[in-house]
Amino acid sequence: MAEKFYITTAIDYVNAAPHIGHAYQKIVADTLARWNKLQGKDVLFVTGTDEYGKKVQEAAEAAGKNPKQFVDEISKEFIKAWKILNIDYDRFIRTTDPDHAEIVKKFIEKCNEAGDIYKGEYSGDYCTGCEAYITERDLIEGKCPIHPNREIEKISEESYFFKLSKYQDFLLKLYKTDFTKPKIRRNEVRKRVEEGLNDLSISRTSFDWGIPFPLDKKHVTYVWFDALINYYTATREKGREDFWGQPTVHILGKDNTWFHNVYWPAMLKSAGIELPKTTINHGFLTFNGQKISKSLGNSISPITLVDKYGVDAVRYFCLRNFSFVSGSDGDFSETSLVERHNNELANKLGNLISRTSALAEKYGMEKTSNTLLKKLNLKQIEKHFDEFQIDKALNEIFTFIDHCNEFIQSQKPWETHDKKVLYQLVESIREIAKLLSPFIPESAEKISKIFKTDKIKKAPILFQKI
């Protein structure tokens, strides 16, 4: 049996269309999924949309639509964007899917059987942007740090509560493991949990756009309690039950760290379900130093960028330019995208493909031992992937591309007509195409087709300079 690898992204809130910040995370997850398939693993890759809650209901009302009609339309925009970006997921889950509602119901019942749910009254500050109650200590000048343009609401309502406080010791032990990555996020979460945990309000009565709460039909399930369960729902499909508990990686933005590293493990523990292996809580893509978001009016459509630069230029830039696993933010710059495309894809990779294919067509090849390929540090690339250092893995591949360009320049096969030199270059390019397939799949497939036989024809220009 092949080793299982289960990878998920955060499911995106459908109050607005997708932007490049959403896209970055999906590109990373897709690359990790493709890499693990390349290693012969049985991969399940899940992404989707989070479609319930007060914020969605408000957005639907503002658009003059009922919530279901609204979420159906917006979720299609995410599906379209991911198709254009070549995101090859196995399931696009929507929290309005019927199987998800059924799993949520059973999950809540399990937590209730564990004695972890009780009825009470909640009063406090609420950020509709976060769909979360927010404590006084988290406010900055009376505003949510993530959604400073939204007013904080004072809410008081009857609610069912989850005994989150019961799991403080369990969570603190969990943070001694590698569950939360990177370390900076783990330390932030641990510090807050050490200060104490309040029980979590998990139902709402002030609006009705949500999964019916199974313990009381007057309530709907709190959006975060329902949304987190999507990762488990996707593994309850027939034939996919074995993925849960296998190497499971949740890819998340840092604004989701608290929910996925405090609520989620406590919920799973309560329901008697095994925890995932790790959560990776990456930084934001920023634009001029600000988080990209619709509410700040600075969102960049990934579809617009692909139309302008091509899918692999966008994927390559996102994967090469930002340090994913460090947790640090990265500032999106079209100028930098153009520079990387022209200098690395067009000049380095494109010229290698063009020169080698033209010379191989003209002079042919002769099989020999490949001393050039020995310069490829495959073990280092694998190590970087094991540590989720995708930018470093891509850098290592381009280090080898540099070696290939130096080799062709020093050996001068256009003068020597050395068929053995050309054989080494062609065989090396075949390996490069394979290694690049998780990153820039469309271009890698084109390269593979050019060099798949020994009867090579001169390649067209693969990367037009911008």
Side-chain angles (χ1 to χ4, degrees), residues 35-196:
W35 172 260
N36 279 278
K37 282 178 189 171
L38 206 58
Q39 309 314 301
K41 295 179 188 176
D42 190 5
V43 174
L44 176 62
F45 170 25
V46 174
T47 190
T49 43
D50 183 2
E51 301 185 1
Y52 284 118
K54 187 177 182 182
K55 184 161 62 170
V56 170
Q57 187 165 309
E58 286 181 357
E61 287 167 359
K65 295 170 182 173
N66 69 58
K68 186 63 169 72
Q69 179 189 6
F70 180 79
V71 299
D72 285 348
E73 290 174 6
I74 300 290
S75 67
K76 283 177 186 172
E77 292 190 43
F78 281 88
I79 290 167
K80 179 185 175 185
W82 303 161
K83 186 176 181 181
I84 286 168
L85 280 166
N86 220 339
I87 309 298
D88 188 22
Y89 53 77
D90 297 293
R91 176 168 177 183
F92 187 94
I93 193 166
R94 298 176 59 191
T95 53
T96 51
D97 289 343
D99 65 331
H100 178 63
E102 191 56 34
I103 295 294
V104 168
K105 178 176 176 268
K106 290 176 182 175
F107 195 105
I108 290 170
E109 286 167 349
K110 283 183 180 179
C111 294
N112 190 47
E113 287 163 13
D116 287 344
I117 294 178
Y118 64 92
K119 194 174 183 179
E121 183 85 18
Y122 195 93
S123 296
D125 293 326
Y126 193 80
C127 173
T128 303
C130 292
E131 288 284 14
Y133 284 103
I134 191 162
T135 62
E136 194 72 36
R137 70 184 175 191
D138 294 323
L139 297 174
I140 298 175
E141 296 180 354
K143 301 282 187 181
C144 168
I146 305 295
H147 300 95
N149 295 344
R150 274 186 171 267
E151 290 299 319
I152 293 293
E153 297 179 63
K154 297 282 184 184
I155 289 181
S156 180
E157 63 181 323
E158 180 184 270
S159 178
Y160 283 82
F161 287 80
F162 172 68
K163 291 182 181 176
L164 185 63
S165 57
K166 172 180 169 181
Y167 292 95
Q168 183 176 8
D169 290 344
F170 161 73
L171 291 168
L172 291 174
K173 283 178 186 173
L174 183 65
Y175 305 143
K176 291 178 181 176
T177 72
D178 219 18
F179 179 78
T180 303
K181 292 175 181 280
K183 199 171 181 180
I184 186 172
R185 301 280 98 83
R186 182 160 68 244
N187 289 341
E188 286 169 1
V189 170
R190 190 191 69 245
K191 186 179 177 185
R192 280 187 64 185
V193 172
E194 283 173 346
E195 292 171 1

Side-chain angles (χ1 to χ4, degrees), residues 386-453:
D386 288 344
E387 295 170 353
F388 305 103
Q389 294 179 320
I390 296 170
D391 57 317
K392 290 186 178 179
L394 192 49
N395 188 59
E396 194 66 47
I397 296 166
F398 268 78
T399 297
F400 181 61
I401 290 168
D402 288 340
H403 286 311
C404 292
N405 278 315
E406 288 162 9
F407 182 74
I408 196 171
Q409 204 60 35
S410 65
Q411 297 299 313
K412 296 182 170 45
W414 54 88
E415 291 179 3
T416 64
H417 309 169
D418 192 328
K419 295 179 179 182
K420 290 182 179 179
V421 165
L422 292 169
Y423 174 83
Q424 291 181 71
L425 284 162
V426 167
E427 196 176 49
S428 297
I429 288 169
R430 286 171 181 157
E431 189 63 23
I432 288 166
K434 182 180 164 187
L435 291 171
L436 286 176
S437 63
F439 300 92
I440 48 172
E442 190 177 273
S443 300
E445 189 178 350
K446 288 176 183 175
I447 295 166
S448 292
K449 283 180 179 175
I450 293 162
F451 291 94
K452 70 179 178 180
T453 69

Side-chain angles (χ1 to χ4, degrees), residues 305 309-310 313-318 321 332-342 466:
L305 286 169
Y309 301 115
V314 174
R315 286 179 65 109
Y316 180 80
F317 176 72
C318 287
N321 210 61
F332 193 92
S333 158
E334 288 186 76
T335 303
S336 297
L337 184 153
V338 170
E339 284 174 0
R340 283 203 178 273
H341 173 89
N342 288 348
I466 302 167

Side-chain angles (χ1 to χ4, degrees), residues 219-277:
H219 293 242
V220 294
T221 308
Y222 169 46
V223 63
W224 270 107
F225 207 81
D226 119 56
L228 290 163
I229 298 168
N230 92 87
Y231 310 118
Y232 184 65
T233 299
T235 65
R236 298 306 89 196
E237 286 186 49
K238 191 174 180 182
R240 290 177 173 172
E241 299 92 342
D242 290 345
F243 277 96
W244 191 262
Q246 296 293 330
T248 303
V249 180
H250 292 327
I251 308 284
L252 314 155
K254 65 181 182 181
D255 54 338
N256 286 332
T257 301
W258 181 257
F259 305 100
H260 289 80
N261 294 274
V262 181
Y263 296 174
W264 184 222
M267 288 163 60
L268 288 167
K269 181 70 173 171
S270 173
I273 299 168
E274 187 178 357
L275 268 62
K277 301 299 179 195

